PDB file of all heavy atoms in Angstrom:
ATOM      1  N   GLU A  26     -41.596 -34.787  60.703  1.00  0.00           N
ATOM      2  CA  GLU A  26     -41.222 -33.807  59.591  1.00  0.00           C
ATOM      3  C   GLU A  26     -42.462 -33.304  58.900  1.00  0.00           C
ATOM      4  O   GLU A  26     -42.381 -32.283  58.196  1.00  0.00           O
ATOM      5  CB  GLU A  26     -40.226 -34.451  58.630  1.00  0.00           C
ATOM      6  CG  GLU A  26     -40.721 -35.637  57.831  1.00  0.00           C
ATOM      7  CD  GLU A  26     -40.815 -36.991  58.573  1.00  0.00           C
ATOM      8  OE1 GLU A  26     -40.590 -37.008  59.803  1.00  0.00           O
ATOM      9  OE2 GLU A  26     -41.148 -37.974  57.944  1.00  0.00           O
ATOM     10  N   ASN A  27     -43.612 -33.964  59.089  1.00  0.00           N
ATOM     11  CA  ASN A  27     -44.853 -33.510  58.415  1.00  0.00           C
ATOM     12  C   ASN A  27     -45.749 -32.741  59.336  1.00  0.00           C
ATOM     13  O   ASN A  27     -46.898 -32.442  58.977  1.00  0.00           O
ATOM     14  CB  ASN A  27     -45.626 -34.708  57.869  1.00  0.00           C
ATOM     15  CG  ASN A  27     -44.871 -35.442  56.828  1.00  0.00           C
ATOM     16  OD1 ASN A  27     -44.417 -34.778  55.870  1.00  0.00           O
ATOM     17  ND2 ASN A  27     -44.660 -36.754  56.940  1.00  0.00           N
ATOM     18  N   LEU A  28     -45.291 -32.389  60.573  1.00  0.00           N
ATOM     19  CA  LEU A  28     -46.169 -31.803  61.560  1.00  0.00           C
ATOM     20  C   LEU A  28     -45.648 -30.409  62.062  1.00  0.00           C
ATOM     21  O   LEU A  28     -44.484 -30.272  62.420  1.00  0.00           O
ATOM     22  CB  LEU A  28     -46.293 -32.712  62.776  1.00  0.00           C
ATOM     23  CG  LEU A  28     -47.057 -32.151  63.981  1.00  0.00           C
ATOM     24  CD1 LEU A  28     -48.521 -31.836  63.625  1.00  0.00           C
ATOM     25  CD2 LEU A  28     -47.024 -33.097  65.182  1.00  0.00           C
ATOM     26  N   THR A  29     -46.538 -29.456  62.108  1.00  0.00           N
ATOM     27  CA  THR A  29     -46.314 -28.183  62.843  1.00  0.00           C
ATOM     28  C   THR A  29     -47.329 -28.105  63.961  1.00  0.00           C
ATOM     29  O   THR A  29     -48.536 -28.279  63.752  1.00  0.00           O
ATOM     30  CB  THR A  29     -46.519 -27.003  61.864  1.00  0.00           C
ATOM     31  OG1 THR A  29     -45.613 -27.074  60.768  1.00  0.00           O
ATOM     32  CG2 THR A  29     -46.325 -25.655  62.614  1.00  0.00           C
ATOM     33  N   VAL A  30     -46.845 -27.910  65.175  1.00  0.00           N
ATOM     34  CA  VAL A  30     -47.721 -27.745  66.301  1.00  0.00           C
ATOM     35  C   VAL A  30     -47.785 -26.254  66.662  1.00  0.00           C
ATOM     36  O   VAL A  30     -46.727 -25.685  66.903  1.00  0.00           O
ATOM     37  CB  VAL A  30     -47.272 -28.581  67.559  1.00  0.00           C
ATOM     38  CG1 VAL A  30     -48.390 -28.590  68.625  1.00  0.00           C
ATOM     39  CG2 VAL A  30     -46.866 -29.972  67.167  1.00  0.00           C
ATOM     40  N   ILE A  31     -48.931 -25.688  66.649  1.00  0.00           N
ATOM     41  CA  ILE A  31     -49.095 -24.247  66.973  1.00  0.00           C
ATOM     42  C   ILE A  31     -49.616 -24.186  68.424  1.00  0.00           C
ATOM     43  O   ILE A  31     -50.658 -24.769  68.721  1.00  0.00           O
ATOM     44  CB  ILE A  31     -50.076 -23.559  65.968  1.00  0.00           C
ATOM     45  CG1 ILE A  31     -49.515 -23.695  64.560  1.00  0.00           C
ATOM     46  CG2 ILE A  31     -50.240 -22.112  66.345  1.00  0.00           C
ATOM     47  CD1 ILE A  31     -50.400 -23.092  63.485  1.00  0.00           C
ATOM     48  N   VAL A  32     -48.875 -23.514  69.253  1.00  0.00           N
ATOM     49  CA  VAL A  32     -49.120 -23.620  70.695  1.00  0.00           C
ATOM     50  C   VAL A  32     -49.556 -22.285  71.368  1.00  0.00           C
ATOM     51  O   VAL A  32     -49.050 -21.197  71.038  1.00  0.00           O
ATOM     52  CB  VAL A  32     -47.851 -24.127  71.410  1.00  0.00           C
ATOM     53  CG1 VAL A  32     -48.149 -24.417  72.877  1.00  0.00           C
ATOM     54  CG2 VAL A  32     -47.319 -25.392  70.720  1.00  0.00           C
ATOM     55  N   ASN A  33     -50.477 -22.409  72.280  1.00  0.00           N
ATOM     56  CA  ASN A  33     -50.998 -21.286  73.059  1.00  0.00           C
ATOM     57  C   ASN A  33     -49.924 -20.654  73.944  1.00  0.00           C
ATOM     58  O   ASN A  33     -49.116 -21.401  74.548  1.00  0.00           O
ATOM     59  CB  ASN A  33     -52.129 -21.837  73.960  1.00  0.00           C
ATOM     60  CG  ASN A  33     -52.663 -20.779  74.900  1.00  0.00           C
ATOM     61  OD1 ASN A  33     -52.821 -19.648  74.538  1.00  0.00           O
ATOM     62  ND2 ASN A  33     -52.918 -21.205  76.134  1.00  0.00           N
ATOM     63  N   VAL A  34     -49.908 -19.356  74.054  1.00  0.00           N
ATOM     64  CA  VAL A  34     -49.006 -18.679  74.975  1.00  0.00           C
ATOM     65  C   VAL A  34     -49.762 -17.773  75.981  1.00  0.00           C
ATOM     66  O   VAL A  34     -49.126 -17.031  76.735  1.00  0.00           O
ATOM     67  CB  VAL A  34     -47.931 -17.812  74.226  1.00  0.00           C
ATOM     68  CG1 VAL A  34     -47.023 -18.701  73.365  1.00  0.00           C
ATOM     69  CG2 VAL A  34     -48.560 -16.703  73.368  1.00  0.00           C
ATOM     70  N   GLY A  35     -51.127 -17.909  75.940  1.00  0.00           N
ATOM     71  CA  GLY A  35     -51.936 -17.131  76.845  1.00  0.00           C
ATOM     72  C   GLY A  35     -51.690 -17.398  78.307  1.00  0.00           C
ATOM     73  O   GLY A  35     -51.973 -16.622  79.201  1.00  0.00           O
ATOM     74  N   ASP A  36     -51.096 -18.603  78.640  1.00  0.00           N
ATOM     75  CA  ASP A  36     -50.831 -19.024  79.980  1.00  0.00           C
ATOM     76  C   ASP A  36     -49.425 -18.553  80.426  1.00  0.00           C
ATOM     77  O   ASP A  36     -49.033 -18.878  81.572  1.00  0.00           O
ATOM     78  CB  ASP A  36     -50.805 -20.568  80.162  1.00  0.00           C
ATOM     79  CG  ASP A  36     -52.116 -21.203  79.652  1.00  0.00           C
ATOM     80  OD1 ASP A  36     -53.017 -20.501  79.184  1.00  0.00           O
ATOM     81  OD2 ASP A  36     -52.226 -22.450  79.754  1.00  0.00           O
ATOM     82  N   ASP A  37     -48.673 -17.957  79.540  1.00  0.00           N
ATOM     83  CA  ASP A  37     -47.277 -17.587  79.929  1.00  0.00           C
ATOM     84  C   ASP A  37     -47.238 -16.516  80.977  1.00  0.00           C
ATOM     85  O   ASP A  37     -48.154 -15.724  81.090  1.00  0.00           O
ATOM     86  CB  ASP A  37     -46.507 -17.090  78.679  1.00  0.00           C
ATOM     87  CG  ASP A  37     -46.279 -18.222  77.640  1.00  0.00           C
ATOM     88  OD1 ASP A  37     -46.873 -19.289  77.734  1.00  0.00           O
ATOM     89  OD2 ASP A  37     -45.453 -18.040  76.729  1.00  0.00           O
ATOM     90  N   PHE A  38     -46.167 -16.548  81.756  1.00  0.00           N
ATOM     91  CA  PHE A  38     -46.027 -15.551  82.802  1.00  0.00           C
ATOM     92  C   PHE A  38     -44.574 -15.473  83.217  1.00  0.00           C
ATOM     93  O   PHE A  38     -43.711 -16.145  82.606  1.00  0.00           O
ATOM     94  CB  PHE A  38     -46.958 -15.867  84.011  1.00  0.00           C
ATOM     95  CG  PHE A  38     -46.496 -17.076  84.809  1.00  0.00           C
ATOM     96  CD1 PHE A  38     -46.092 -16.946  86.120  1.00  0.00           C
ATOM     97  CD2 PHE A  38     -46.493 -18.344  84.212  1.00  0.00           C
ATOM     98  CE1 PHE A  38     -45.717 -18.058  86.840  1.00  0.00           C
ATOM     99  CE2 PHE A  38     -46.089 -19.445  84.930  1.00  0.00           C
ATOM    100  CZ  PHE A  38     -45.673 -19.338  86.264  1.00  0.00           C
ATOM    101  N   GLU A  39     -44.281 -14.638  84.186  1.00  0.00           N
ATOM    102  CA  GLU A  39     -42.878 -14.532  84.677  1.00  0.00           C
ATOM    103  C   GLU A  39     -42.801 -14.910  86.100  1.00  0.00           C
ATOM    104  O   GLU A  39     -43.703 -14.617  86.952  1.00  0.00           O
ATOM    105  CB  GLU A  39     -42.416 -13.062  84.592  1.00  0.00           C
ATOM    106  CG  GLU A  39     -41.679 -12.789  83.332  1.00  0.00           C
ATOM    107  CD  GLU A  39     -40.777 -11.566  83.409  1.00  0.00           C
ATOM    108  OE1 GLU A  39     -40.468 -11.100  84.532  1.00  0.00           O
ATOM    109  OE2 GLU A  39     -40.353 -11.148  82.310  1.00  0.00           O
ATOM    110  N   LEU A  40     -41.721 -15.655  86.474  1.00  0.00           N
ATOM    111  CA  LEU A  40     -41.525 -16.112  87.864  1.00  0.00           C
ATOM    112  C   LEU A  40     -40.060 -15.865  88.157  1.00  0.00           C
ATOM    113  O   LEU A  40     -39.207 -16.345  87.444  1.00  0.00           O
ATOM    114  CB  LEU A  40     -41.889 -17.594  87.929  1.00  0.00           C
ATOM    115  CG  LEU A  40     -42.059 -18.197  89.326  1.00  0.00           C
ATOM    116  CD1 LEU A  40     -43.284 -17.574  90.038  1.00  0.00           C
ATOM    117  CD2 LEU A  40     -42.280 -19.724  89.193  1.00  0.00           C
ATOM    118  N   TYR A  41     -39.775 -15.178  89.292  1.00  0.00           N
ATOM    119  CA  TYR A  41     -38.406 -14.867  89.670  1.00  0.00           C
ATOM    120  C   TYR A  41     -37.636 -14.274  88.478  1.00  0.00           C
ATOM    121  O   TYR A  41     -36.498 -14.611  88.272  1.00  0.00           O
ATOM    122  CB  TYR A  41     -37.628 -16.116  90.176  1.00  0.00           C
ATOM    123  CG  TYR A  41     -38.351 -16.764  91.293  1.00  0.00           C
ATOM    124  CD1 TYR A  41     -38.921 -18.055  91.156  1.00  0.00           C
ATOM    125  CD2 TYR A  41     -38.585 -16.152  92.558  1.00  0.00           C
ATOM    126  CE1 TYR A  41     -39.571 -18.694  92.197  1.00  0.00           C
ATOM    127  CE2 TYR A  41     -39.232 -16.727  93.572  1.00  0.00           C
ATOM    128  CZ  TYR A  41     -39.750 -18.026  93.392  1.00  0.00           C
ATOM    129  OH  TYR A  41     -40.434 -18.673  94.372  1.00  0.00           O
ATOM    130  N   GLY A  42     -38.314 -13.478  87.681  1.00  0.00           N
ATOM    131  CA  GLY A  42     -37.689 -12.857  86.473  1.00  0.00           C
ATOM    132  C   GLY A  42     -37.504 -13.744  85.323  1.00  0.00           C
ATOM    133  O   GLY A  42     -36.922 -13.353  84.266  1.00  0.00           O
ATOM    134  N   MET A  43     -37.965 -15.004  85.435  1.00  0.00           N
ATOM    135  CA  MET A  43     -37.843 -15.950  84.272  1.00  0.00           C
ATOM    136  C   MET A  43     -39.138 -16.060  83.500  1.00  0.00           C
ATOM    137  O   MET A  43     -40.204 -16.228  84.067  1.00  0.00           O
ATOM    138  CB  MET A  43     -37.438 -17.332  84.834  1.00  0.00           C
ATOM    139  CG  MET A  43     -36.162 -17.389  85.569  1.00  0.00           C
ATOM    140  SD  MET A  43     -35.768 -19.089  86.013  1.00  0.00           S
ATOM    141  CE  MET A  43     -37.064 -19.432  87.227  1.00  0.00           C
ATOM    142  N   PRO A  44     -39.065 -15.964  82.168  1.00  0.00           N
ATOM    143  CA  PRO A  44     -40.243 -16.147  81.351  1.00  0.00           C
ATOM    144  C   PRO A  44     -40.620 -17.661  81.373  1.00  0.00           C
ATOM    145  O   PRO A  44     -39.763 -18.528  81.115  1.00  0.00           O
ATOM    146  CB  PRO A  44     -39.879 -15.697  79.976  1.00  0.00           C
ATOM    147  CG  PRO A  44     -38.363 -15.756  79.902  1.00  0.00           C
ATOM    148  CD  PRO A  44     -37.866 -15.687  81.321  1.00  0.00           C
ATOM    149  N   ILE A  45     -41.870 -17.995  81.696  1.00  0.00           N
ATOM    150  CA  ILE A  45     -42.292 -19.384  81.754  1.00  0.00           C
ATOM    151  C   ILE A  45     -43.366 -19.584  80.691  1.00  0.00           C
ATOM    152  O   ILE A  45     -44.322 -18.765  80.602  1.00  0.00           O
ATOM    153  CB  ILE A  45     -42.923 -19.674  83.140  1.00  0.00           C
ATOM    154  CG1 ILE A  45     -42.064 -19.193  84.276  1.00  0.00           C
ATOM    155  CG2 ILE A  45     -43.226 -21.175  83.272  1.00  0.00           C
ATOM    156  CD1 ILE A  45     -40.872 -19.996  84.655  1.00  0.00           C
ATOM    157  N   SER A  46     -43.302 -20.639  79.911  1.00  0.00           N
ATOM    158  CA  SER A  46     -44.223 -20.967  78.835  1.00  0.00           C
ATOM    159  C   SER A  46     -44.773 -22.393  79.071  1.00  0.00           C
ATOM    160  O   SER A  46     -44.271 -23.302  78.384  1.00  0.00           O
ATOM    161  CB  SER A  46     -43.541 -20.862  77.451  1.00  0.00           C
ATOM    162  OG  SER A  46     -43.159 -19.526  77.207  1.00  0.00           O
ATOM    163  N   PRO A  47     -45.743 -22.550  79.917  1.00  0.00           N
ATOM    164  CA  PRO A  47     -46.158 -23.898  80.322  1.00  0.00           C
ATOM    165  C   PRO A  47     -46.619 -24.788  79.177  1.00  0.00           C
ATOM    166  O   PRO A  47     -46.247 -25.932  79.124  1.00  0.00           O
ATOM    167  CB  PRO A  47     -47.302 -23.667  81.348  1.00  0.00           C
ATOM    168  CG  PRO A  47     -47.122 -22.254  81.795  1.00  0.00           C
ATOM    169  CD  PRO A  47     -46.527 -21.519  80.706  1.00  0.00           C
ATOM    170  N   ASP A  48     -47.418 -24.244  78.290  1.00  0.00           N
ATOM    171  CA  ASP A  48     -47.957 -25.094  77.164  1.00  0.00           C
ATOM    172  C   ASP A  48     -46.816 -25.462  76.207  1.00  0.00           C
ATOM    173  O   ASP A  48     -46.764 -26.638  75.749  1.00  0.00           O
ATOM    174  CB  ASP A  48     -49.053 -24.389  76.450  1.00  0.00           C
ATOM    175  CG  ASP A  48     -50.369 -24.418  77.274  1.00  0.00           C
ATOM    176  OD1 ASP A  48     -50.416 -25.107  78.298  1.00  0.00           O
ATOM    177  OD2 ASP A  48     -51.330 -23.666  76.894  1.00  0.00           O
ATOM    178  N   ILE A  49     -45.966 -24.548  75.907  1.00  0.00           N
ATOM    179  CA  ILE A  49     -44.830 -24.872  74.985  1.00  0.00           C
ATOM    180  C   ILE A  49     -43.948 -25.980  75.611  1.00  0.00           C
ATOM    181  O   ILE A  49     -43.612 -26.956  74.931  1.00  0.00           O
ATOM    182  CB  ILE A  49     -43.986 -23.620  74.708  1.00  0.00           C
ATOM    183  CG1 ILE A  49     -44.787 -22.752  73.694  1.00  0.00           C
ATOM    184  CG2 ILE A  49     -42.598 -23.939  74.199  1.00  0.00           C
ATOM    185  CD1 ILE A  49     -44.136 -21.502  73.232  1.00  0.00           C
ATOM    186  N   ASP A  50     -43.669 -25.839  76.920  1.00  0.00           N
ATOM    187  CA  ASP A  50     -42.745 -26.896  77.513  1.00  0.00           C
ATOM    188  C   ASP A  50     -43.481 -28.219  77.568  1.00  0.00           C
ATOM    189  O   ASP A  50     -42.860 -29.252  77.336  1.00  0.00           O
ATOM    190  CB  ASP A  50     -42.348 -26.408  78.919  1.00  0.00           C
ATOM    191  CG  ASP A  50     -41.410 -25.233  78.842  1.00  0.00           C
ATOM    192  OD1 ASP A  50     -40.936 -24.910  77.699  1.00  0.00           O
ATOM    193  OD2 ASP A  50     -41.106 -24.595  79.841  1.00  0.00           O
ATOM    194  N   THR A  51     -44.827 -28.268  77.834  1.00  0.00           N
ATOM    195  CA  THR A  51     -45.550 -29.519  77.841  1.00  0.00           C
ATOM    196  C   THR A  51     -45.503 -30.169  76.450  1.00  0.00           C
ATOM    197  O   THR A  51     -45.212 -31.380  76.360  1.00  0.00           O
ATOM    198  CB  THR A  51     -47.005 -29.281  78.310  1.00  0.00           C
ATOM    199  OG1 THR A  51     -46.976 -28.807  79.646  1.00  0.00           O
ATOM    200  CG2 THR A  51     -47.792 -30.557  78.241  1.00  0.00           C
ATOM    201  N   VAL A  52     -45.699 -29.345  75.424  1.00  0.00           N
ATOM    202  CA  VAL A  52     -45.654 -29.939  74.059  1.00  0.00           C
ATOM    203  C   VAL A  52     -44.270 -30.420  73.716  1.00  0.00           C
ATOM    204  O   VAL A  52     -44.089 -31.576  73.301  1.00  0.00           O
ATOM    205  CB  VAL A  52     -46.111 -28.843  73.041  1.00  0.00           C
ATOM    206  CG1 VAL A  52     -45.853 -29.352  71.580  1.00  0.00           C
ATOM    207  CG2 VAL A  52     -47.621 -28.565  73.173  1.00  0.00           C
TER     208      VAL A  52
END
Side-chain angles (χ1 to χ4, degrees):
E26 64 283 6
N27 295 311
L28 173 63
T29 298
V30 192
I31 301 178
V32 187
N33 175 42
V34 297
D36 304 1
D37 290 16
F38 71 116
E39 265 203 16
L40 194 66
Y41 306 113
M43 298 184 295
I45 313 279
S46 295
D48 285 349
I49 283 181
D50 291 350
T51 296
V52 169

